[in-house]
Structures are given as C-alpha cells and as structure tokens.
Amino acid sequence: MYIMLDTSKSSVGQSGDFVTIIDERSGKKFRLAIMRGTMGSPVVDISRLQSEMGLYTYDPGYGMTGSCSSDITFIDGEKGVLMHRGYDIGELAEQSDYLEVCYLLLNGELPARAEKESFTATIKYHTMLHDQMQYFFRGFRRDAHPMAVMVAVVGALSAFYHDSLDIQDEGQRKLASYRMIAKMPTIAAQVYKYTIGQPFVSPRNDLGYVENFLNMTFSVPAEGYRLRPAVIRALERIFILHADHEQNASTSTVRLAGSSGANPFACIAAGISSLWGPAHGGANEAVLNMLEEMQSASRVGEFIARAKDKQDPFRLMGFGHRVYKNYDPRATVLRSSMREVLSELGVEREPLFELALELEKIALQDKYFVERKLFPNVDYYSGILLRAMGFPRSMFTVLFALARTVGWVAQWREMVEDPLQRIGRPRQLYLGSPPRAFVPLDDR
Ligand code: ACO
C-alpha cells in the first residue's frame, strides 16, 4: 500500500488536491480529497476509506487524526502560536479580561460594551448554587482530594438544574453554559472550604469574576480578604491562558461524552476527570512536587539524567507537549510576568522559581530535549505562581478546570450544533484470539 499525491484539482466545494492510495496487491486505487482549513495543515478525508477500500486507519493517541472541524481555537505547534477566534493569546492575556474571552469563545466575536455588560450581568445572576447542594458536599470525607469532590459536584448539577438538560433546545444549551461558567468559581471555592473545614462563603455580585472567586476562597466569616490588584491581575491572566486549547484530551473527552447526547453537566464532569491526570492538567501539581524534591540546583543534573533514562518512568514534569514543538506561548506569558507578579506580591526571592529557571536552562541545552523538541508547557510556571498567591497545590488542577470550563462548553456547543455530528466511535486493530469453541468448565 502506498499513498501518492494526485495533482488534479477536485471540483467539489472547498477541497483542493487529492491523494490517491493504491493497494499494491490488488492494484485497486482510491482518491481521497484533501481538505484545507483557514490556517494549519490540510487534512485527508478518509470517511469513505472503509466502504471503498475495506480499510480503517490506525492512530493510537489520535496524534494524526482531525476528529472534528472547529472555528474556536488555532494552534501552530511548530511556531508556538495559540489563537482564539483569530486573536493571539499574548494579546488577549495583556489586553482583555476573562469574561470577555469567555464571550469571545462562546460567540465568535469580542463583545461590544453593551454586550459585555449584559453577559457579565447574566453570569453574575447564576453564581449561587442550589441550597440543597451543601448537603451533597457533606457526604465526602474532609481529606478528599478537591478534584474528587469537584468532579462529583459538577456531575451532580444535572440532578439540580432540570431546566437546562435538553440539548436540542438552544435556550437550554445557553442556560447550561452560563450556569457552568458562573457556578464553577463557587464550586471550586466551596470544594476548598470543605476540605479545610471552613464554612462556605456566598458569592458577592458586587465583585468581578476573579475577585469574587478569591473572596469566596480566602475570606472567612470572622475576617474579610484583602483583594490585591496584583493577585487579581495575575489570576485573571492565568484564567485567560487556560480558557481553551483546541482538541486536547479533556476537550475531546467532553466532545466524545457529548456525542452520545449526554447532558452538558455530565459531559463537563467527564472533562474534569480527564484533566485530573498528571499527563494533562495534573502536571502543575506534579511540577511543584518535583521542584520541592529537587530542592537545589545542584541536583538538576540528576533529575535530567533520570528523565532521559528509558528504564526510569520519571519525566520532567511541565516539559513536552503533544502539539507544541516549540515554547508553549502560554508558558512564555507566565514566565515573563512571573517576576513582576512575585515582586508585587511582596515575594523578594522565590527559590522554586529560580530553580525552575535553572532547570529549564540546562534542559534546553541538552541534546535529548533539543532533539525531541521538549520545551516548558503552561504547567511549568503556573504552579509556582498559584503557590505565591496562597493556593495549596491540591487546588491547582481545580483552578485549571474552572478556567477551562468555558472552552469545554464552547466546544460542546459547537459539536451539538454541527449538522455533521455523529456519535464518536473509534475502531480498533484486533490482536486477540481468532474464533474458538467454548470449553465446558469440567474440561478446562
Ligand atoms: N521528560 C522526558 N522525556 C520526555 C518528556 C518529559 N517531560 N516528554 C516527552 N518525552 C520524550 C518521550 O519519552 C519520547 O521519547 P522517545 O522518542 O525516546 O521515546 C519523546 O519525548 C516523545 O514523547 P511522547 O510521550 O511520544 O509525547 P506525547 O505527545 O505522547 O506526550 C506529554 C506529551 C504527555 C505532555 C509528555 O510530554 C509528558 O508526559 N510531559 C510531562 C507531563 C506534562 O508536563 N504534562 C502537561 C502537558 S500540558 C497540559 O496538559 C496543559
């Protein structure tokens, strides 16, 4: 079997060239249309490969598979570019705010002033949780990991908000999206309060999105929380940087769960489960554990040697990415703002940041990392920043889930509204036993 480029142009719609695949044994040929998006690599349409050639494709980890078409986010991994609806992530992080980015992801355009005010008011209207939900929290052990509680509480939203479960109803889809974006800060803060044994703090609609979250997380009935502009700005930036990231593992999980027609709260709970793993959103927690274990720059060489040793499962956490073969642009923003934020927070010297810089410097000069194009990803610096703001590391992935909710919701809505959408159902290369006769128990 081989594939050759056929230079004849397709006459159909937006397809450009074709590739022709030829079965060398039978000589059978089939032309596959090449589809081109606005930017990025073209893709080969294989949807008729099975019916024409009796073949499926084999792509473990889906690294070569475009699972959908999307208008939301574009990544050029070779150049280290990330854009939402055509806007560069660096510009959004510098000049926009989180709710504006939420609006952009959901609606495709930046909001005009009146649209922004109306969207902000809608989100504020939905910040509270059904009162009955406090009893749901109480069923958990206090020492549960916050992600374990969050995934359950988000899944349970479908038991409390019956008027936003009908995915065929556009109004209900929108309502579910607004509820999710509005309630995630309340859930995240309550998860935290529950696990440290403090009473829940109600949302305050006189505060902005980020301020309200900080207040619910860190204030107590006996004492308010001093909202510092530097902390608000830094967290706002972290939320923007995590808002969406194309078809990553958790977003694909949301789409796959949603493709069966499952309700939006259940789909987001599935996304949170996927995010929890250390190869995905759990890496920011793992980075801090790694740096603390390392303790001093004198041990950098030892950790790099372990990361390179194929007999050792250890990996340099916060390094490498399926798509970025260059510096993750989100890590660039975090790295460049780190010193400014730390000094505004009154942290003169953060030893873990200095250690992270040293580790990065040495890794980026090492042949192993250079050859494999392994660069720091967003998780490499976010944990250090969150720690400086006072968040315990068990909350890092919870914050990631909070910020990513809008991306999941936008991608879920895009999928439900896509007329070509079908249930997600990959195939397999079966390597098990051929047919054999059943052996009765006494004969085994
Ligand atoms: N440390 C050491 N070696 C690494 C690392 C690393 N962090 N990441 C990749 N490699 C090596 C692999 O061992 C492999 O080497 P080989 O070619 O000799 O076999 C090569 O680089 C390619 O790696 P893959 O595992 O094929 O890359 P994949 O795209 O499957 O995985 C992933 C990407 C999961 C992010 C990986 O780089 C990793 O585990 N990194 C550490 C965890 C991490 O930081 N995750 C956060 C990702 S960003 C996010 O989710 C927000």
Side-chain angles (χ1 to χ4, degrees):
M1 173 79 55
Y2 65 92
I3 296 182
M4 59 182 248
L5 188 69
D6 179 345
T7 50
S8 60
K9 294 281 177 190
S10 155
S11 55
V12 203
Q14 297 201 342
S15 310
D17 299 327
F18 291 98
V19 290
T20 301
I21 66 163
I22 302 171
D23 185 328
E24 288 185 326
R25 202 179 291 175
S26 65
K28 194 174 174 190
K29 291 182 187 176
F30 180 55
R31 296 204 316 165
L32 302 167
I34 297 179
M35 299 166 73
R36 293 181 198 283
T38 327
M39 295 185 282
S41 296
V43 299
V44 179
D45 178 2
I46 55 153
S47 55
R48 289 174 49 229
L49 194 58
Q50 214 284 327
S51 57
E52 298 292 334
M53 299 289 278
L55 295 170
Y56 291 109
T57 56
Y58 179 61
D59 182 21
Y62 309 129
M64 293 293 145
T65 299
S67 60
C68 61
S69 62
S70 179
D71 296 349
I72 302 174
T73 293
F74 174 74
I75 301 174
D76 183 333
E78 291 297 327
K79 295 195 183 121
V81 169
L82 167 63
M83 291 174 185
H84 296 316
R85 305 282 192 186
Y87 294 103
D88 182 74
I89 191 66
E91 277 186 48
L92 291 172
E94 283 301 319
Q95 299 179 41
S96 192
D97 59 57
Y98 181 67
L99 279 188
E100 198 167 74
V101 173
C102 290
Y103 186 97
L104 174 69
L105 289 169
L106 289 173
N107 300 299
E109 298 296 335
L110 287 168
R113 192 175 298 280
E115 289 167 329
K116 186 170 174 176
E117 281 167 10
S118 157
F119 181 68
T120 305
T122 303
I123 296 299
K124 284 187 175 179
Y125 180 76
H126 290 291
T127 48
M128 285 173 63
L129 291 185
H130 192 292
D131 196 49
Q132 196 67 13
M133 289 198 85
Q134 61 180 297
Y135 303 108
F136 185 71
F137 273 89
R138 288 191 192 158
F140 291 98
R141 287 169 55 144
R142 293 272 180 183
D143 61 355
H145 193 288
M147 282 296 280
V149 183
M150 176 177 244
V151 74
V153 172
V154 171
L157 289 174
S158 49
F160 289 89
Y161 297 99
H162 299 147
D163 57 346
S164 45
L165 299 180
D166 181 357
I167 68 163
Q168 304 306 337
D169 180 324
E170 190 189 351
Q172 293 204 25
R173 288 200 298 273
K174 280 190 178 164
L175 182 57
S177 317
Y178 300 148
R179 278 188 168 141
M180 221 110 52
I181 295 164
K183 292 184 197 306
M184 281 301 264
T186 313
I187 293 172
Q190 293 194 353
V191 162
Y192 175 61
K193 289 297 194 192
Y194 186 78
T195 54
I196 59 168
Q198 288 184 3
F200 295 159
V201 175
S202 293
R204 270 180 47 192
N205 289 354
D206 59 321
L207 296 175
Y209 191 86
V210 174
E211 288 96 316
N212 177 46
F213 171 62
L214 285 166
N215 188 63
M216 287 190 292
T217 305
F218 293 121
S219 72
V220 288
E223 203 173 317
Y225 170 73
R226 186 162 70 89
L227 288 160
R228 283 173 296 180
V231 176
I232 297 165
R233 255 202 327 277
L235 195 56
E236 185 106 43
R237 199 172 278 177
I238 288 179
F239 282 3
I240 292 172
L241 294 176
H242 288 83
D244 189 47
H245 209 234
E246 205 228 62
Q247 310 310 322
N248 55 82
S250 56
T251 303
S252 297
T253 303
V254 170
R255 279 185 179 259
L256 198 53
S259 75
S260 71
N263 80 67
F265 304 111
C267 296
I268 301 307
I272 295 172
S273 306
S274 169
L275 186 76
W276 194 359
H280 193 7
N284 51 15
E285 200 177 332
V287 170
L288 223 58
N289 292 340
M290 176 186 75
L291 291 172
E292 282 197 350
E293 192 192 334
M294 198 179 296
Q295 277 187 342
S296 105
S298 63
R299 296 187 66 201
V300 165
E302 177 195 327
F303 277 70
I304 288 194
R306 278 190 64 196
K308 288 157 51 173
D309 180 357
K310 294 292 169 200
Q311 307 308 318
D312 189 333
F314 173 77
R315 285 188 166 195
L316 220 49
M317 297 316 289
F319 258 77
H321 197 277
R322 169 62 60 82
V323 179
Y324 293 121
K325 302 303 166 199
N326 203 324
Y327 219 103
D328 179 339
R330 303 165 298 173
T332 312
V333 175
L334 285 182
R335 187 183 191 272
S336 64
S337 60
M338 188 76 87
R339 274 197 205 287
E340 174 204 349
V341 172
L342 289 176
S343 83
E344 283 189 59
L345 288 171
V347 182
E348 284 299 307
R349 209 182 148 271
E350 169 50 88
L352 288 187
F353 179 47
E354 307 302 332
L355 189 54
L357 286 175
E358 185 63 18
L359 176 62
E360 176 191 328
K361 195 173 94 192
I362 295 174
L364 293 185
Q365 290 165 357
D366 191 291
K367 199 166 151 246
Y368 174 96
F369 290 87
V370 174
E371 277 175 356
R372 289 168 179 74
K373 299 184 177 174
L374 300 171
F375 291 84
N377 59 50
V378 68
D379 288 323
Y380 193 64
Y381 288 112
S382 63
I384 301 171
L385 204 47
L386 290 173
R387 192 177 89 130
M389 291 176 195
F391 290 101
R393 74 192 59 180
S394 60
M395 282 294 288
F396 293 176
T397 316
V398 167
L399 294 180
F400 193 155
L402 187 176
R404 180 55 58 84
T405 293
V406 65
W408 290 329
V409 165
Q411 301 266 356
W412 170 80
R413 263 171 53 178
E414 185 179 63
M415 180 202 66
V416 172
E417 289 161 18
D418 182 349
L420 296 180
Q421 187 267 324
R422 303 164 72 199
I423 187 167
R425 180 37 169 112
R427 303 301 296 241
Q428 63 173 6
L429 175 64
Y430 176 68
L431 297 176
S433 169
R436 48 184 168 161
F438 180 78
V439 182
L441 186 59
D442 289 345
D443 299 342
R444 283 176 221 158

